[in-house]
Amino acid sequence: MSEISKANNPSLKSWIEVKAGSDFPIQNIPFGVYRRDNSLPLVATIIGEHVIDLSSMYENGFLRDCGLKENVFRRKSLNAFISLGKSTTRKVREKLSELFRHDNPLLRDDIMNRNRVMHRVSEVELLLPVEIGDYTDFYSSIHHATNVGMMFRDPEKALLPNWKHLPVGYHGRVSTIYASGHSFYRPKGQTHPKENEPPVFGPTLMLDFELETAFVVGKETAQGECITTASAEEYIFGMMLFNDWSARDIQTWEYVPLGPFLAKNFASTISPWVVTLDALESFRCTGFKQEPEVLPYLRYEGDKNIDINLEVCIKPEKQKETRVCLSNYKYLYWTMEQQLAHHTVNGCSVRVGDIMASGTISGPASGSFGSMLEITWRGTRPVTMSDGSERKFILDQDTVIMRGWSEKEGVRIGFGECRAKVLPAK
């Protein structure tokens, strides 16, 4: 049995309590970075509601035989660990699966070391998991692209001529990517509300979320190297949830001719745990039939899409949250492998820790649309919150919460929350 299949075995149980519906059973073992009591950041994993300090695990001898020559977990990011390569990171995941299995007494019965390495998630701060060098945002959902095209262009020509031939993308801003749990100020900029009048300046009136996922590059390339769709998975360490906040009114005025700028660079929110591709292997599914047939460098074999449920909720201040979207990663037209192959086909190099986001993920029906722009159809169909208020777009003091999970054979592999709150403009 391979390391991946052993760690993914649906019959595995942990001696750590894992409540029903948890995102983090023993079959998951994602990786992240935490801090406790303002101490230095350290690399960790999580099972149930317990964060497990991998730095302490290494120092106390529990991660022997994993090919680790130094404590790569005493770092502020996952980059050094990821750089060791999948053969090593898989050994660590397998070793953790073995150590926390219900019938393994080695750490279970060692109370002193258990107390050193385990902390309740409610008692720690979860940080940005990777040191991000570059960030690319794609536009890979055919339902989202069609909806937006219908709103702003001829509905008969909703998709631009290139859309079905290549994964459209743009380079985003790294300095304003934050870990889940942050707050940010409503952005300001130019808008053009009246066609025959000059533009105006002020806070956006059309603040929107974008339901996305992102993947982390786990292996670097040199300039001139190309990653193929067949080899792409060796270059992808894992996935996170991603909210690529957008100011729609600013975007409408500025995006021609060079695309998004101030409308997109003020804030993006990322979930704190990187779920490995290995943990998601059981949830692979068939992707879209791509017509017309794509060029040879974008073709692939096998099931390259993934069945991941994606949920968005809005929580007004001091009120209960309201679900406004239930979508699925499998609705993406362009796969991660195609995105990475296209990104590097011109010789563009990638580095460990680079992230690439999917673009808004929308399904075929209104309940699965991945942005307020689509859900309210540009503000013409407001949605009602639990407190009776209505939303066309996101208001000050609103918190947007994204969740994602795959479920099969009684095993749920989740990402945790991707949460952020909007503050009034400065």
Side-chain angles (χ1 to χ4, degrees):
M1 184 180 289
S2 71
E3 291 179 349
I4 298 174
S5 59
K6 280 195 292 184
N8 291 358
N9 186 338
S11 67
L12 289 180
K13 302 293 181 185
S14 175
W15 50 261
I16 297 176
E17 180 186 6
V18 179
K19 294 180 180 178
S22 170
D23 281 347
F24 305 115
I26 193 172
Q27 290 85 355
N28 194 339
I29 310 182
F31 296 94
V33 175
Y34 86 103
R35 180 167 54 203
R36 186 168 180 248
D37 299 328
N38 295 317
S39 61
L40 293 174
L42 298 168
V43 173
T45 188
I46 183 171
I47 296 178
E49 296 180 11
H50 284 86
V51 171
I52 298 157
D53 182 341
L54 298 185
S55 175
S56 183
M57 293 279 289
Y58 176 86
E59 289 171 354
N60 287 283
F62 290 103
L63 296 177
R64 296 192 183 103
D65 307 321
C66 291
L68 303 173
K69 296 180 180 179
E70 60 176 321
N71 192 346
V72 294
F73 305 118
R74 189 169 284 278
R75 306 291 176 90
K76 64 179 182 180
S77 76
L78 294 173
N79 292 45
F81 174 57
I82 294 172
S83 297
L84 298 176
K86 282 201 172 183
S87 62
T88 300
T89 60
R90 279 173 176 155
K91 287 178 183 176
V92 171
R93 182 171 175 264
E94 167 68 10
K95 187 67 175 179
L96 292 168
S97 174
E98 176 188 318
L99 286 166
F100 290 97
R101 201 175 60 209
H102 76 282
D103 56 356
N104 189 333
L106 186 63
L107 184 57
R108 183 193 66 193
D109 298 344
D110 185 345
I111 303 301
M112 183 179 295
N113 274 316
R114 276 178 55 181
N115 291 336
R116 286 175 180 161
V117 306
M118 291 173 57
H119 311 289
R120 295 196 68 83
V121 69
S122 58
E123 298 172 351
V124 305
E125 179 186 5
L126 299 177
L127 306 175
L128 201 67
V130 292
E131 186 176 349
I132 305 167
D134 284 299
Y135 151 52
T136 301
D137 190 33
F138 285 95
Y139 189 52
S140 293
S141 164
I142 191 168
H143 300 300
H144 173 67
T146 300
N147 288 338
V148 173
M150 290 172 64
M151 283 183 216
F152 293 97
R153 292 188 295 275
D154 179 356
E156 298 300 316
K157 299 177 181 178
L159 295 179
L160 291 172
N162 64 352
W163 200 91
K164 287 190 173 183
H165 292 276
L166 55 86
V168 175
Y170 75 96
H171 294 292
R173 181 75 180 174
V174 172
S175 66
T176 48
I177 298 176
Y178 303 104
S180 176
H182 74 108
S183 300
F184 67 93
Y185 297 100
R186 178 175 293 270
K188 297 175 287 189
Q190 288 191 29
T191 60
H192 193 221
K194 296 183 180 179
E195 186 173 347
N196 296 318
E197 295 185 12
V200 298
F201 176 82
T204 176
L205 301 178
M206 300 173 72
L207 182 63
D208 201 356
F209 62 79
E210 293 192 6
L211 172 61
E212 306 192 22
T213 63
F215 68 82
V216 180
V217 173
K219 185 178 178 181
E220 69 175 25
T221 61
Q223 197 281 326
E225 287 185 47
C226 305
I227 298 172
T228 66
T229 56
S231 65
E233 287 175 28
E234 281 304 305
Y235 291 83
I236 300 172
F237 177 69
M239 296 177 65
M240 299 160 290
L241 303 179
F242 195 78
N243 183 352
D244 192 24
W245 293 91
S246 182
R248 299 297 185 184
D249 44 0
I250 296 173
Q251 185 175 359
T252 301
W253 173 233
E254 75 176 1
Y255 83 100
V256 176
L258 292 181
F261 187 43
L262 298 186
K264 304 283 284 184
N265 67 4
F266 57 92
S268 297
T269 311
I270 201 164
S271 55
W273 297 106
V274 182
V275 177
T276 64
L277 282 194
D278 292 344
L280 295 165
E281 187 63 33
S282 303
F283 306 99
R284 290 281 186 177
C285 61
T286 303
F288 272 83
K289 183 178 182 181
Q290 295 179 331
E291 295 178 330
E293 186 176 23
V294 297
L295 291 174
Y297 79 94
L298 288 170
R299 295 172 194 165
Y300 65 89
E301 296 181 357
D303 291 340
K304 296 298 183 184
N305 223 326
I306 309 176
D307 185 355
I308 306 172
N309 298 294
L310 299 167
E311 173 189 72
V312 184
C313 297
I314 300 174
K315 184 183 182 302
E317 183 80 343
K318 298 180 181 179
Q319 301 293 333
K320 294 180 180 179
E321 63 185 57
T322 299
R323 179 196 277 179
V324 296
C325 167
L326 182 60
S327 189
N328 196 295
Y329 180 85
K330 67 184 179 182
Y331 294 137
L332 282 184
Y333 188 89
W334 296 103
T335 70
M336 286 184 290
E337 292 80 5
Q338 289 177 307
Q339 290 165 0
L340 192 52
H342 183 66
H343 201 303
T344 61
V345 74
N346 66 343
C348 172
S349 58
V350 295
R351 295 172 291 187
V352 172
D354 287 354
I355 66 169
M356 301 188 187
S358 60
T360 304
I361 303 173
S362 293
S366 59
S368 60
F369 293 167
S371 67
M372 293 296 280
L373 180 70
E374 299 164 88
I375 293 167
T376 70
W377 209 254
R378 212 177 177 185
T380 61
R381 307 168 189 168
V383 293
T384 303
M385 300 290 100
S386 61
D387 62 354
S389 62
E390 291 187 336
R391 294 294 184 278
K392 297 179 180 179
F393 290 94
I394 305 303
L395 301 183
D396 293 344
Q397 308 300 338
D398 282 350
T399 296
V400 173
I401 308 158
M402 295 181 176
R403 301 181 179 95
W405 69 94
S406 297
E407 204 156 10
K408 184 180 180 181
E409 297 180 334
V411 174
R412 174 185 169 117
I413 302 296
F415 292 79
E417 289 187 345
C418 179
R419 168 191 290 255
K421 182 177 180 179
V422 181
L423 304 176
K426 273 193 170 182

